[in-house]
Amino acid sequence: MASATAVSNGPTSGDVITEELDVLVVGAGFSGLYQLDRLRQMGFSVKAYEAAPALGGVWYWNCYPGARCDTHGPLYQFSREELWRDWDFDELYPSWDKLRAYFHHVDEKLGLSRDIRFNTRVTEARFDEAQRRWLVRTEDGRTARARYLVLCTGIGSKPHLPDIKGLGDFGGLVYHTAQWPQQGVDLAGQRVGVIGTGASGVQVIQELGPIVSHLTVFQRTPNLALPMRQRQLDAAAKRELKVGMKEKYAKRARTFGGYEYDFFDYAGASAEGLSPQQVQAMYEEYWAEGGFVPWLGNFAEIWTDEGRNLVAYEFWRDKVRQRIADPAVAEKLAPTVPPHPYGVKRMSLEQAYYEVFNQDNVRLVDLKETPIERVTAKGVLTADGREHELDALVLATGFDMVSGGLTAIDIKGTAGQTLREKWKPGVSAYLGSMTHGFPNMLFVYGPQAPSGLSNGPSCAELQGEEIAGLLKYMKDRGRTRIESTDQADKAWRERVDQYVETTLFVRADSWYMSANIPGKVRQMINYPAGIPDYLERWRESKAAGYAGFSIS
Ligand code: NA7
């Protein structure tokens, strides 16, 4: 029921309703496309609005040199057999352009584009209580009306531009990795600076290092990057990867991060009872395997046990140091003392990242030692008085992760408050899918769902299926309004907060902890107990008639 203080939010005289829908999906990446397809199958009238001119979400925007996926291509897809059966990537870890080609393949099979409005950025949404519908405005001045608003804006759709003095004074070119020009930029032979060494920074650095005349890397925190073990896939390898595909997809619901393997598959939950030599031997195997195995295939206890965590860190550190020629540079990239516990910031995959720092044309600037004073017309001035002269500056400074894509839209709920205002003291979102005061609005792969701690397509499908099921439930019963209760939101937030307090996640300034954006409340922004636990919470709610939601 609407609260007594609810505001009406009805259409104004200026609103020309251009579209009436059952469901309006925002975003055409994995989550949005899954919703569009499933809801269409269920007989809803549904459209997706997408700001970009093409499909793919992050894989449209992130076209910087070296941008690629950190998950095995076979598992970085939709699980429908008709989609994967005749699709192959040529590399184990596909690049952004091959991922775009994949989305094109999906579109050809499912005909999704006919129900997508491209170049359509949603700027505002208001819940009209009288009609029990959302009024959704777009940048081009149109207004749509929909019973349900399903936001699939992804975890990395709002780039973070750092507040660095003088950025506007720079005489050269400045690019954020997620706002890279679609036509590409030729940086060969140029003097380039990169600020940021997260997943994007690592990729762009290893790609640019060999081609630019000089590369200056501004590092605030070293990245504990793991070997990708990229492989080209020939016909036999492609066939091999398809063996047991159905089971691998099914297994995603049973593993912490929605991968085809889990902590237990490689190690068992604990190193208890294993000798240090046995642990080292096991770690050697992980290292040879590469990818996320040394992280998500490690002992589950590395996230809770400081001693075990240190063993994992030291193994990583010693492996990496062997690849760096200058001991002073090695100390900065892989410090003796861990900058934070191992694996509690998003681990990145690299191919030649550490070797790049052995090149004469590459300089590492440690921002903890010499912070940036300001950007000048010629380059970057650091606290030691040195002006690093540059032709181009790359900002690999990340995103307002997970919640940023949602709060970037002016969304007004029943109490007249915007979502941005509501979440200023921190996010609370029941089942990571709804928040009180915003009826009929759901989000997939957003705050307090497995999202950033999972494989994107796995979360898009597994959580997405719960959302689609919920809307079907509403439709079948002729119900028209659903809202999570305030109590359920708060309990969910408490659950997340309490769980994370038992882990080492709290010990790093990561985007997982919302600590990468100045002023953002520090809290775990993902659901940290893994996909099986998350799905169990949905099952509990459903078994009790969708407990935690008020439905009318
Ligand atoms: P990340 O992982 O958030 O990395 C951003 C990087 O930029 C990180 O190294 C930051 O250092 C650095 N940063 C951010 N602001 C500044 C300022 N003001 N000065 C210097 N350095 C700064 O973003 P990515 O795009 O690499 O990856 C995001 C996710 O996309 C990734 O985790 C995958 O899930 C895909 P910090 O570590 O905060 O000290």
Side-chain angles (χ1 to χ4, degrees), residues 48-59:
Y49 285 9
E50 165 58 57
L55 300 176
V58 289
W59 300 112

Side-chain angles (χ1 to χ4, degrees), residues 124-139:
E124 197 187 327
R126 294 185 282 133
F127 188 67
D128 177 352
E129 187 66 83
Q131 295 291 323
R132 296 185 160 191
R133 285 173 200 275
W134 281 93
L135 284 166
V136 181
R137 299 203 177 102
T138 53
E139 206 168 41

